[in-house]
Amino acid sequence: MSTANTALKASEQGSSKRSRKRDRIIELASVQMNRRGAASVDLAEIGTELGMARNSMYYYFKDKHALTEACYEAAVCYSEGSLRLAFDHNGTVTEKLLVFITNSLNEQSHSIAVMSDLDLTEEGRSSDLGERQSAVLNSLHELIEAGVENGEFRRLPSRLAAHVLISMLEWKRLWCAFMGQDVSALADGARDMERWIRQGVLVDRTYRLQNPPKFNEVFTTPVNVMDPKSINEQKRLFLLGAASALFNRRGIDATTIDDIAAALDSTKGFVYNHAEDKQQLVRMCYDRAFDMYERIWEVSEKCGPGSADSILTSMHLHCQAQLSNTPPLTVQSQLGDLPLSYRARSSAIRGKYAAGVRQAVKKKVAHPKSQKFVDISPGAFFWLGKSGLTPPQSENLPDQIADLTAHGFCA
């Protein structure tokens, strides 16, 4: 072999090795982001895991912001690749959709970042990534619409169904990261989604929720204008609701105390009067959210434990809550940095909802194994807080999402 060819081969091997190392850095950073948020990326920690000095990390990425962008780029590429596999599959529309879901929740997807903090990237990159996300959504919408047109799927709002499906995939990855579940839980999620798409949750295909309770009536808090403590509590709840809305829309890491004060048309002093720092504010928002999730469960149980009304009332109220001006904070990747008590409370709330569906299964109101739907169902509504939809755009969404929950996609 000539000296030139030897040099070329060595260069190619070195390039390939650098590429593999770079990919591994992106994988580890993505796992960090899903557990603790995009701002938590720790180059030193990743370097230690790879046996590299921190300074060596800068050979691959100039700073952690560049690494974050690379993680989001990899996530979009992964979604685009999953979509290509789906469209290339020689089968029915349902089968194509299931290829997309299975590939989106396989072992490799464990190290794919959930794109919840795009505002942390540069404006141009954020727009580009957002447009590519929208293109994936549009293609999925077209695929679902094709299933409606050929009779595989029932008449349903196909664009909304695409939103719900993608959001469920993201939710499942977040939940697995937060709960410390292994990659097998992702494959379980894919099977749960397949079961839901094919048959929905409810046995009665004609069932529709009638006269669901209103969010504002369920969460109205009386104020005693003569009691300073009562007034202060209302101010606190107002702050938490406004902060949660902003956190849901932009992501926790991308939202500052200044942003929250501006949204309230107030000062940082007002915020700091109730929370000593952003970390405490986030915890207060989660405490409020868990209170709201439990309240929704209590209201739905009054419809009759294990009933169809109970299951769909819960979904309807969760949707209304996320579309309100004062929504509960959705579970985001930063939960990994919270005390274990938050994980325990999340798991306990999840258990209450699952127990209700399990009771519905025993009563033959819900299909067998439908209690597993609880592990993906929050994805049906948690995207609403990021959507920017306002009345009348959002007016029918709770009804439509409740119907999707009940009956899935297939005709």
PDB file of all heavy atoms in Angstrom, residues 201-202 207-209 212 300 307-317 398 401-403 405-407:
ATOM      1  N   VAL A 201     -60.084   2.705  24.558  1.00  0.00           N
ATOM      2  CA  VAL A 201     -60.164   2.242  25.943  1.00  0.00           C
ATOM      3  C   VAL A 201     -61.516   1.606  26.252  1.00  0.00           C
ATOM      4  O   VAL A 201     -61.595   0.568  26.898  1.00  0.00           O
ATOM      5  CB  VAL A 201     -59.890   3.408  26.920  1.00  0.00           C
ATOM      6  CG1 VAL A 201     -60.175   2.996  28.361  1.00  0.00           C
ATOM      7  CG2 VAL A 201     -58.443   3.883  26.791  1.00  0.00           C
ATOM      8  N   LEU A 202     -62.590   2.212  25.769  1.00  0.00           N
ATOM      9  CA  LEU A 202     -63.931   1.760  26.138  1.00  0.00           C
ATOM     10  C   LEU A 202     -64.452   0.658  25.226  1.00  0.00           C
ATOM     11  O   LEU A 202     -64.216   0.665  24.019  1.00  0.00           O
ATOM     12  CB  LEU A 202     -64.905   2.940  26.109  1.00  0.00           C
ATOM     13  CG  LEU A 202     -64.601   4.123  27.037  1.00  0.00           C
ATOM     14  CD1 LEU A 202     -65.731   5.134  26.959  1.00  0.00           C
ATOM     15  CD2 LEU A 202     -64.391   3.654  28.473  1.00  0.00           C
ATOM     16  N   TYR A 207     -70.239   5.146  22.918  1.00  0.00           N
ATOM     17  CA  TYR A 207     -70.305   6.001  24.112  1.00  0.00           C
ATOM     18  C   TYR A 207     -69.709   7.382  23.847  1.00  0.00           C
ATOM     19  O   TYR A 207     -68.642   7.521  23.245  1.00  0.00           O
ATOM     20  CB  TYR A 207     -69.569   5.351  25.283  1.00  0.00           C
ATOM     21  CG  TYR A 207     -69.677   6.185  26.542  1.00  0.00           C
ATOM     22  CD1 TYR A 207     -70.774   6.064  27.381  1.00  0.00           C
ATOM     23  CD2 TYR A 207     -68.698   7.125  26.853  1.00  0.00           C
ATOM     24  CE1 TYR A 207     -70.898   6.851  28.506  1.00  0.00           C
ATOM     25  CE2 TYR A 207     -68.811   7.914  27.982  1.00  0.00           C
ATOM     26  CZ  TYR A 207     -69.911   7.778  28.806  1.00  0.00           C
ATOM     27  OH  TYR A 207     -70.033   8.562  29.916  1.00  0.00           O
ATOM     28  N   ARG A 208     -70.408   8.407  24.326  1.00  0.00           N
ATOM     29  CA  ARG A 208     -69.918   9.782  24.258  1.00  0.00           C
ATOM     30  C   ARG A 208     -70.155  10.444  25.613  1.00  0.00           C
ATOM     31  O   ARG A 208     -71.198  10.243  26.245  1.00  0.00           O
ATOM     32  CB  ARG A 208     -70.637  10.595  23.170  1.00  0.00           C
ATOM     33  CG  ARG A 208     -70.407  10.102  21.752  1.00  0.00           C
ATOM     34  CD  ARG A 208     -68.975  10.265  21.297  1.00  0.00           C
ATOM     35  NE  ARG A 208     -68.774   9.830  19.924  1.00  0.00           N
ATOM     36  CZ  ARG A 208     -68.494   8.594  19.546  1.00  0.00           C
ATOM     37  NH1 ARG A 208     -68.424   7.630  20.469  1.00  0.00           N
ATOM     38  NH2 ARG A 208     -68.296   8.298  18.277  1.00  0.00           N
ATOM     39  N   LEU A 209     -69.200  11.239  26.065  1.00  0.00           N
ATOM     40  CA  LEU A 209     -69.317  11.933  27.343  1.00  0.00           C
ATOM     41  C   LEU A 209     -70.326  13.064  27.224  1.00  0.00           C
ATOM     42  O   LEU A 209     -70.270  13.867  26.287  1.00  0.00           O
ATOM     43  CB  LEU A 209     -67.950  12.490  27.755  1.00  0.00           C
ATOM     44  CG  LEU A 209     -67.882  13.229  29.094  1.00  0.00           C
ATOM     45  CD1 LEU A 209     -68.180  12.272  30.241  1.00  0.00           C
ATOM     46  CD2 LEU A 209     -66.486  13.848  29.271  1.00  0.00           C
ATOM     47  N   PRO A 212     -69.738  17.341  30.658  1.00  0.00           N
ATOM     48  CA  PRO A 212     -68.589  17.252  31.578  1.00  0.00           C
ATOM     49  C   PRO A 212     -68.512  18.496  32.454  1.00  0.00           C
ATOM     50  O   PRO A 212     -68.973  19.580  32.061  1.00  0.00           O
ATOM     51  CB  PRO A 212     -67.388  17.186  30.634  1.00  0.00           C
ATOM     52  CG  PRO A 212     -67.866  17.853  29.378  1.00  0.00           C
ATOM     53  CD  PRO A 212     -69.316  17.494  29.254  1.00  0.00           C
ATOM     54  N   SER A 300     -63.590  13.078  39.020  1.00  0.00           N
ATOM     55  CA  SER A 300     -63.947  12.000  38.096  1.00  0.00           C
ATOM     56  C   SER A 300     -64.487  10.777  38.840  1.00  0.00           C
ATOM     57  O   SER A 300     -65.393  10.100  38.349  1.00  0.00           O
ATOM     58  CB  SER A 300     -62.725  11.600  37.259  1.00  0.00           C
ATOM     59  OG  SER A 300     -61.703  11.037  38.060  1.00  0.00           O
ATOM     60  N   SER A 307     -66.284   3.796  35.929  1.00  0.00           N
ATOM     61  CA  SER A 307     -67.285   4.049  34.887  1.00  0.00           C
ATOM     62  C   SER A 307     -66.647   4.733  33.675  1.00  0.00           C
ATOM     63  O   SER A 307     -65.569   5.325  33.765  1.00  0.00           O
ATOM     64  CB  SER A 307     -68.406   4.934  35.425  1.00  0.00           C
ATOM     65  OG  SER A 307     -67.911   6.235  35.711  1.00  0.00           O
ATOM     66  N   ALA A 308     -67.329   4.671  32.556  1.00  0.00           N
ATOM     67  CA  ALA A 308     -66.872   5.374  31.359  1.00  0.00           C
ATOM     68  C   ALA A 308     -66.858   6.873  31.608  1.00  0.00           C
ATOM     69  O   ALA A 308     -65.939   7.591  31.169  1.00  0.00           O
ATOM     70  CB  ALA A 308     -67.781   5.042  30.180  1.00  0.00           C
ATOM     71  N   ASP A 309     -67.871   7.366  32.314  1.00  0.00           N
ATOM     72  CA  ASP A 309     -67.915   8.789  32.651  1.00  0.00           C
ATOM     73  C   ASP A 309     -66.686   9.208  33.448  1.00  0.00           C
ATOM     74  O   ASP A 309     -66.127  10.284  33.233  1.00  0.00           O
ATOM     75  CB  ASP A 309     -69.175   9.103  33.469  1.00  0.00           C
ATOM     76  CG  ASP A 309     -70.343   9.514  32.594  1.00  0.00           C
ATOM     77  OD1 ASP A 309     -70.135   9.629  31.372  1.00  0.00           O
ATOM     78  OD2 ASP A 309     -71.448   9.711  33.124  1.00  0.00           O
ATOM     79  N   SER A 310     -66.276   8.381  34.382  1.00  0.00           N
ATOM     80  CA  SER A 310     -65.125   8.703  35.217  1.00  0.00           C
ATOM     81  C   SER A 310     -63.856   8.826  34.381  1.00  0.00           C
ATOM     82  O   SER A 310     -63.092   9.790  34.516  1.00  0.00           O
ATOM     83  CB  SER A 310     -64.941   7.628  36.292  1.00  0.00           C
ATOM     84  OG  SER A 310     -63.781   7.886  37.060  1.00  0.00           O
ATOM     85  N   ILE A 311     -63.621   7.869  33.494  1.00  0.00           N
ATOM     86  CA  ILE A 311     -62.418   7.874  32.666  1.00  0.00           C
ATOM     87  C   ILE A 311     -62.376   9.100  31.767  1.00  0.00           C
ATOM     88  O   ILE A 311     -61.351   9.799  31.678  1.00  0.00           O
ATOM     89  CB  ILE A 311     -62.346   6.590  31.818  1.00  0.00           C
ATOM     90  CG1 ILE A 311     -62.159   5.373  32.731  1.00  0.00           C
ATOM     91  CG2 ILE A 311     -61.225   6.669  30.789  1.00  0.00           C
ATOM     92  CD1 ILE A 311     -62.297   4.044  32.013  1.00  0.00           C
ATOM     93  N   LEU A 312     -63.478   9.398  31.104  1.00  0.00           N
ATOM     94  CA  LEU A 312     -63.476  10.494  30.138  1.00  0.00           C
ATOM     95  C   LEU A 312     -63.594  11.861  30.802  1.00  0.00           C
ATOM     96  O   LEU A 312     -63.089  12.849  30.283  1.00  0.00           O
ATOM     97  CB  LEU A 312     -64.602  10.297  29.118  1.00  0.00           C
ATOM     98  CG  LEU A 312     -64.484   9.040  28.246  1.00  0.00           C
ATOM     99  CD1 LEU A 312     -65.448   9.115  27.071  1.00  0.00           C
ATOM    100  CD2 LEU A 312     -63.061   8.852  27.728  1.00  0.00           C
ATOM    101  N   THR A 313     -64.257  11.928  31.955  1.00  0.00           N
ATOM    102  CA  THR A 313     -64.303  13.192  32.696  1.00  0.00           C
ATOM    103  C   THR A 313     -62.897  13.614  33.105  1.00  0.00           C
ATOM    104  O   THR A 313     -62.526  14.788  33.019  1.00  0.00           O
ATOM    105  CB  THR A 313     -65.202  13.066  33.937  1.00  0.00           C
ATOM    106  OG1 THR A 313     -66.547  12.893  33.519  1.00  0.00           O
ATOM    107  CG2 THR A 313     -65.105  14.306  34.819  1.00  0.00           C
ATOM    108  N   SER A 314     -62.116  12.653  33.536  1.00  0.00           N
ATOM    109  CA  SER A 314     -60.725  12.923  33.899  1.00  0.00           C
ATOM    110  C   SER A 314     -59.964  13.507  32.716  1.00  0.00           C
ATOM    111  O   SER A 314     -59.310  14.552  32.836  1.00  0.00           O
ATOM    112  CB  SER A 314     -60.055  11.634  34.374  1.00  0.00           C
ATOM    113  OG  SER A 314     -58.654  11.792  34.444  1.00  0.00           O
ATOM    114  N   MET A 315     -60.038  12.866  31.565  1.00  0.00           N
ATOM    115  CA  MET A 315     -59.321  13.361  30.381  1.00  0.00           C
ATOM    116  C   MET A 315     -59.827  14.734  29.978  1.00  0.00           C
ATOM    117  O   MET A 315     -59.048  15.633  29.637  1.00  0.00           O
ATOM    118  CB  MET A 315     -59.494  12.363  29.230  1.00  0.00           C
ATOM    119  CG  MET A 315     -58.816  12.793  27.933  1.00  0.00           C
ATOM    120  SD  MET A 315     -57.028  13.064  28.097  1.00  0.00           S
ATOM    121  CE  MET A 315     -56.446  11.384  28.314  1.00  0.00           C
ATOM    122  N   HIS A 316     -61.141  14.917  30.030  1.00  0.00           N
ATOM    123  CA  HIS A 316     -61.734  16.193  29.621  1.00  0.00           C
ATOM    124  C   HIS A 316     -61.234  17.333  30.510  1.00  0.00           C
ATOM    125  O   HIS A 316     -60.856  18.412  30.028  1.00  0.00           O
ATOM    126  CB  HIS A 316     -63.262  16.086  29.684  1.00  0.00           C
ATOM    127  CG  HIS A 316     -63.983  17.064  28.803  1.00  0.00           C
ATOM    128  ND1 HIS A 316     -64.115  18.396  29.125  1.00  0.00           N
ATOM    129  CD2 HIS A 316     -64.600  16.895  27.606  1.00  0.00           C
ATOM    130  CE1 HIS A 316     -64.797  19.011  28.173  1.00  0.00           C
ATOM    131  NE2 HIS A 316     -65.114  18.128  27.234  1.00  0.00           N
ATOM    132  N   LEU A 317     -61.217  17.109  31.821  1.00  0.00           N
ATOM    133  CA  LEU A 317     -60.761  18.154  32.750  1.00  0.00           C
ATOM    134  C   LEU A 317     -59.272  18.442  32.597  1.00  0.00           C
ATOM    135  O   LEU A 317     -58.834  19.590  32.708  1.00  0.00           O
ATOM    136  CB  LEU A 317     -61.077  17.751  34.184  1.00  0.00           C
ATOM    137  CG  LEU A 317     -62.506  18.004  34.656  1.00  0.00           C
ATOM    138  CD1 LEU A 317     -62.733  17.395  36.043  1.00  0.00           C
ATOM    139  CD2 LEU A 317     -62.819  19.506  34.684  1.00  0.00           C
ATOM    140  N   PRO A 398     -61.160  19.477  24.071  1.00  0.00           N
ATOM    141  CA  PRO A 398     -61.392  18.490  25.143  1.00  0.00           C
ATOM    142  C   PRO A 398     -62.370  17.390  24.739  1.00  0.00           C
ATOM    143  O   PRO A 398     -62.150  16.212  25.049  1.00  0.00           O
ATOM    144  CB  PRO A 398     -61.945  19.346  26.290  1.00  0.00           C
ATOM    145  CG  PRO A 398     -61.351  20.691  26.058  1.00  0.00           C
ATOM    146  CD  PRO A 398     -61.359  20.850  24.556  1.00  0.00           C
ATOM    147  N   ILE A 401     -60.479  15.079  22.173  1.00  0.00           N
ATOM    148  CA  ILE A 401     -59.439  14.246  22.780  1.00  0.00           C
ATOM    149  C   ILE A 401     -60.062  13.172  23.665  1.00  0.00           C
ATOM    150  O   ILE A 401     -59.583  12.031  23.709  1.00  0.00           O
ATOM    151  CB  ILE A 401     -58.440  15.125  23.558  1.00  0.00           C
ATOM    152  CG1 ILE A 401     -57.655  16.003  22.579  1.00  0.00           C
ATOM    153  CG2 ILE A 401     -57.476  14.259  24.376  1.00  0.00           C
ATOM    154  CD1 ILE A 401     -56.713  16.996  23.242  1.00  0.00           C
ATOM    155  N   ALA A 402     -61.136  13.514  24.364  1.00  0.00           N
ATOM    156  CA  ALA A 402     -61.840  12.507  25.153  1.00  0.00           C
ATOM    157  C   ALA A 402     -62.372  11.395  24.251  1.00  0.00           C
ATOM    158  O   ALA A 402     -62.327  10.208  24.585  1.00  0.00           O
ATOM    159  CB  ALA A 402     -62.988  13.147  25.944  1.00  0.00           C
ATOM    160  N   ASP A 403     -62.872  11.772  23.073  1.00  0.00           N
ATOM    161  CA  ASP A 403     -63.384  10.788  22.134  1.00  0.00           C
ATOM    162  C   ASP A 403     -62.255   9.908  21.596  1.00  0.00           C
ATOM    163  O   ASP A 403     -62.421   8.689  21.443  1.00  0.00           O
ATOM    164  CB  ASP A 403     -64.100  11.499  20.974  1.00  0.00           C
ATOM    165  CG  ASP A 403     -64.705  10.508  19.993  1.00  0.00           C
ATOM    166  OD1 ASP A 403     -65.690   9.842  20.355  1.00  0.00           O
ATOM    167  OD2 ASP A 403     -64.170  10.402  18.863  1.00  0.00           O
ATOM    168  N   THR A 405     -59.539   9.204  23.192  1.00  0.00           N
ATOM    169  CA  THR A 405     -59.219   8.327  24.317  1.00  0.00           C
ATOM    170  C   THR A 405     -60.166   7.133  24.356  1.00  0.00           C
ATOM    171  O   THR A 405     -59.739   5.980  24.518  1.00  0.00           O
ATOM    172  CB  THR A 405     -59.338   9.094  25.650  1.00  0.00           C
ATOM    173  OG1 THR A 405     -58.400  10.159  25.664  1.00  0.00           O
ATOM    174  CG2 THR A 405     -59.085   8.189  26.836  1.00  0.00           C
ATOM    175  N   ALA A 406     -61.429   7.397  24.189  1.00  0.00           N
ATOM    176  CA  ALA A 406     -62.447   6.353  24.312  1.00  0.00           C
ATOM    177  C   ALA A 406     -62.344   5.305  23.215  1.00  0.00           C
ATOM    178  O   ALA A 406     -62.459   4.108  23.481  1.00  0.00           O
ATOM    179  CB  ALA A 406     -63.834   6.977  24.306  1.00  0.00           C
ATOM    180  N   HIS A 407     -62.105   5.750  21.970  1.00  0.00           N
ATOM    181  CA  HIS A 407     -62.332   4.843  20.844  1.00  0.00           C
ATOM    182  C   HIS A 407     -61.123   4.643  19.915  1.00  0.00           C
ATOM    183  O   HIS A 407     -61.240   3.893  18.937  1.00  0.00           O
ATOM    184  CB  HIS A 407     -63.527   5.337  20.025  1.00  0.00           C
ATOM    185  CG  HIS A 407     -64.750   5.547  20.865  1.00  0.00           C
ATOM    186  ND1 HIS A 407     -65.334   4.528  21.576  1.00  0.00           N
ATOM    187  CD2 HIS A 407     -65.490   6.665  21.119  1.00  0.00           C
ATOM    188  CE1 HIS A 407     -66.395   5.006  22.240  1.00  0.00           C
ATOM    189  NE2 HIS A 407     -66.508   6.293  21.976  1.00  0.00           N
TER     190      HIS A 407
END
